[in-house]
Amino acid sequence: MFGKVAADVLGLSDVGSVITPDNYDKVDSDDYILHEDNEKIFFLIKSKSDEYCFTNKALIHLDGTSATSKKRMLRRYNYHTNKISHVLLETAGTIDLDVEIKFIIGSEKFSIDVHKKHLEELKDLYKALIKIEELTHENEIALGHAQQSLELASTTLSRVQSTETELVEQFKSINREAFNWLTQTKAKYSVKDFGFVFERYINN
């Protein structure tokens, strides 16, 4: 009963609508946000059967089999472990009622139909996803360069002549420094919270 009332209040159909922040409490996705870990909803698309909730940390997809079924499958795609790519925005033709935003996250392909009245909001989401894709790609390159740098340093040090005792101490020292360096580099280039991107592009 509540689902029907919420759908009526939000004016939902099989084509998705962009939900405004003041109505986030009327959607199911809000129950699965990690509020305790400072997770926040930045963009939400809802149809009668599905919800696509973009937070600063993940895409949460509530997958409904149909508009009349109460069964839902909840899937969470964290951005730092599921790379976003192939982001596309398909605008509406003269007689079309909907626009589409398409992208791949991890190994999953998404094509979300949204009413064309929400095109301007969807442009903001498109920009945010494009930026996340760009940053993730740049960080992957930086991590690769860091790994190559460490391997080069390790190879160079292995050629240094030392006594057995000195080698043991050098190994301990190098291992400790390498671990700390890799940990710091990983933290720098492995972004888990993209709130700063959404805040820049999403105009709520």
Side-chain angles (χ1 to χ4, degrees):
M1 180 65 181
F2 175 75
K4 183 179 185 303
V5 172
D8 291 340
V9 169
L10 298 173
L12 300 176
S13 66
D14 291 334
V15 176
S17 291
V18 175
I19 305 303
T20 56
D22 57 310
N23 282 312
Y24 287 163
D25 61 343
K26 297 183 177 69
V27 300
D28 294 329
S29 296
D30 190 52
D31 295 334
Y32 305 103
I33 303 300
L34 304 177
H35 297 288
E36 300 84 353
D37 297 324
N38 298 316
E39 186 170 27
K40 177 184 176 183
I41 300 174
F42 277 92
F43 203 92
L44 202 148
I45 299 169
K46 181 174 176 62
S47 67
K48 282 187 175 179
S49 58
D50 290 271
E51 290 181 17
Y52 304 90
C53 179
F54 297 85
T55 77
N56 50 321
K57 298 182 178 183
L59 165 63
I60 296 172
H61 179 207
L62 272 173
D63 187 0
T65 55
S66 71
T68 58
S69 174
K70 291 186 178 181
K71 288 186 177 181
R72 295 283 188 92
M73 178 64 74
L74 174 67
R75 296 183 176 90
R76 181 183 176 92
Y77 304 90
N78 291 319
Y79 304 132
H80 78 284
T81 53
N82 294 276
K83 183 180 177 181
I84 293 175
S85 63
H86 298 84
V87 183
L88 300 170
L89 179 61
E90 185 177 290
T91 58
T94 306
I95 62 173
D96 295 323
L97 294 176
D98 62 311
V99 294
E100 284 184 74
I101 187 160
K102 303 178 182 182
F103 56 91
I104 297 175
I105 183 166
S107 60
E108 296 296 320
K109 294 182 179 180
F110 284 87
S111 181
I112 307 173
D113 295 326
V114 183
H115 196 284
K116 66 180 181 181
K117 68 181 180 181
H118 297 295
L119 177 58
E120 292 305 313
E121 297 105 299
L122 216 59
K123 287 178 182 177
D124 294 338
L125 177 62
Y126 170 81
K127 292 177 185 177
L129 295 182
I130 283 288
K131 190 62 178 180
I132 291 174
E133 178 182 2
E134 177 186 314
L135 288 173
T136 303
H137 178 66
E138 290 175 350
N139 286 341
E140 281 184 348
I141 292 174
L143 279 172
H145 289 166
Q147 186 66 42
Q148 290 172 10
S149 175
L150 182 63
E151 289 172 359
L152 178 61
S154 176
T155 301
T156 302
L157 286 170
S158 68
R159 296 170 181 164
V160 177
Q161 298 294 324
S162 302
T163 65
E164 184 175 342
T165 302
E166 289 173 334
L167 281 173
V168 171
E169 292 305 315
Q170 286 175 3
F171 172 79
K172 290 179 180 178
S173 176
I174 292 169
N175 188 56
R176 181 173 59 251
E177 291 302 319
F179 177 81
N180 291 336
W181 187 80
L182 280 174
T183 301
Q184 293 169 5
T185 303
K186 181 75 172 177
K188 181 178 180 180
Y189 293 112
S190 182
V191 181
K192 294 184 178 181
D193 188 334
F194 287 92
F196 66 99
V197 174
F198 287 106
E199 286 173 356
R200 181 176 181 180
Y201 294 104
I202 303 296
N203 299 307
N204 285 326

